Amino acid sequence: MLSATTDKGPAVAALRALDRARTAYADHTTEHAWVRFMSPARLDSLVLSSYGRLAHPELTDAANAATERLGSERPDAGVVFLGDITTALLQGDDLEQGVHAAHEFAVAAAARPNTMGRDRAHAITAELPAKERDLAEHLSSLAS
């Protein structure tokens, strides 16, 4: 899965670290108790955060796969991960997908309000394009 979008050292190092993480946590249920927290959703969040910051070409595909794995039933943690997906898409300049995910996040966050979801709503608001003022205002109200 390693495919650098740039030949810059930090980007290549980040992608290699993600490959190692995917290998190390391939089956989180068999790991030692102190690393079992690295669930597939958390690993997806880590990958998407990195891909978003790198504007990696596989960002949208990875976000779609993560959203599919997350499913439609979203517990509190699912709201947080959906927020991470949204932020990654917006940071990675996939604005169309990011805005779509932000709408999904807004619905999920309203249905299951929690502290980490409010934090994600605040972060997403800062990343939204200016033309999404209504959505930003709605997310700001969820963040408060």
Side-chain angles (χ1 to χ4, degrees):
M1 286 206 182
L2 180 66
S3 63
T5 59
T6 177
D7 59 356
K8 295 182 181 176
V12 171
L15 294 172
R16 285 193 177 130
L18 286 175
D19 280 346
R20 286 193 305 270
R22 284 183 174 135
T23 301
Y25 299 105
D27 182 3
H28 75 288
T29 61
T30 63
E31 297 297 327
H32 296 288
W34 58 88
V35 293
R36 281 197 191 137
F37 69 91
M38 188 54 81
S39 67
R42 282 195 171 106
L43 187 56
D44 282 343
S45 182
L46 175 67
V47 168
L48 290 168
S49 175
S50 299
Y51 277 12
R53 290 172 191 225
L54 296 171
H56 194 279
E58 294 177 27
L59 172 62
T60 301
D61 291 341
N64 289 336
T67 303
E68 188 174 309
R69 277 190 292 279
L70 191 56
S72 61
E73 294 299 316
R74 297 195 173 113
D76 289 350
V79 173
V80 172
F81 295 132
L82 186 55
D84 291 344
I85 291 167
T86 303
T87 301
L89 288 165
L90 292 170
Q91 287 178 342
D93 290 329
D94 189 342
L95 297 181
E96 183 179 334
Q97 283 287 98
V99 168
H100 175 75
H103 282 283
E104 285 187 39
F105 169 78
V107 170
R112 292 191 169 275
N114 63 62
T115 302
M116 291 180 71
R118 284 189 287 278
D119 291 344
R120 296 317 193 269
H122 181 72
I124 292 166
T125 300
E127 297 289 335
L128 284 170
K131 69 179 183 174
E132 295 297 332
R133 188 173 358 158
D134 291 342
L135 178 56
E137 288 175 8
H138 178 63
L139 289 173
S140 289
S141 70
L142 291 174
S144 53

